[in-house]
């Protein structure tokens, strides 16, 4: 990661998940997707793009497994942030 990388934001039609702007139905769907995530099976609009992305991931330390862990961790962190937002909102 670059030194100025600030993370990934999970955006929905109602707003950013990390900011509690998505409904629980969206959060549950995101959690289910994360549990089954395999970046090696991801699709791209162009076969050339898919090959380029696969090559870049394979060049990374840990390859696809490391990328899967990174994406899953990012999603889990977003879900936790969303949960914390709801807790603060309805706590009092």
């Amino acid at each position: 990661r670059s030194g100025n990388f600030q993370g990934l934001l999970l955006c929905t039609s109602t707003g950013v998940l990390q900011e509690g702007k998505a409904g629980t139905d969206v959060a549950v769907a995101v959690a289910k997707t994360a549990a089954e995530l395999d970046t090696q099976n991801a699709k791209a609009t162009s076969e050339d793009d898919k090959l380029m992305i696969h090559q870049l991931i394979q060049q990374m330390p840990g390859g696809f497994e490391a990328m899967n862990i990174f994406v899953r961790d990012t999603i889990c962190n977003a879900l936790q942030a969303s949960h914390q937002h709801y807790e603060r909102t309805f706590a009092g």
Side-chain angles (χ1 to χ4, degrees):
R1 290 182 217 158
S2 126
N4 58 2
F5 180 73
Q6 296 181 8
L8 301 174
L9 297 177
L10 299 179
C11 300
T12 72
S13 61
T14 57
V16 178
L17 180 67
Q18 289 95 319
E19 296 173 357
K21 303 291 184 185
T24 54
D25 57 332
V26 172
V28 169
V30 168
K32 286 180 181 178
T33 300
E36 300 169 357
L37 180 81
D38 182 359
T39 55
Q40 193 163 5
N41 293 325
K43 296 178 183 166
T45 55
S46 155
E47 188 62 27
D48 289 341
D49 287 347
K50 182 177 177 178
L51 292 173
M52 180 208 41
I53 292 166
H54 277 222
Q55 288 173 349
L56 290 170
I57 292 173
Q58 289 168 339
Q59 292 171 8
M60 292 173 46
F64 282 101
E65 185 57 32
M67 181 59 73
N68 289 340
I69 290 168
F70 169 75
V71 173
R72 280 191 203 109
D73 285 350
T74 298
I75 292 170
C76 286
N77 290 339
L79 290 167
Q80 288 173 347
S82 180
H83 176 78
Q84 290 169 355
H85 175 80
Y86 284 120
E87 289 290 321
R88 285 190 305 273
T89 300
F90 297 112

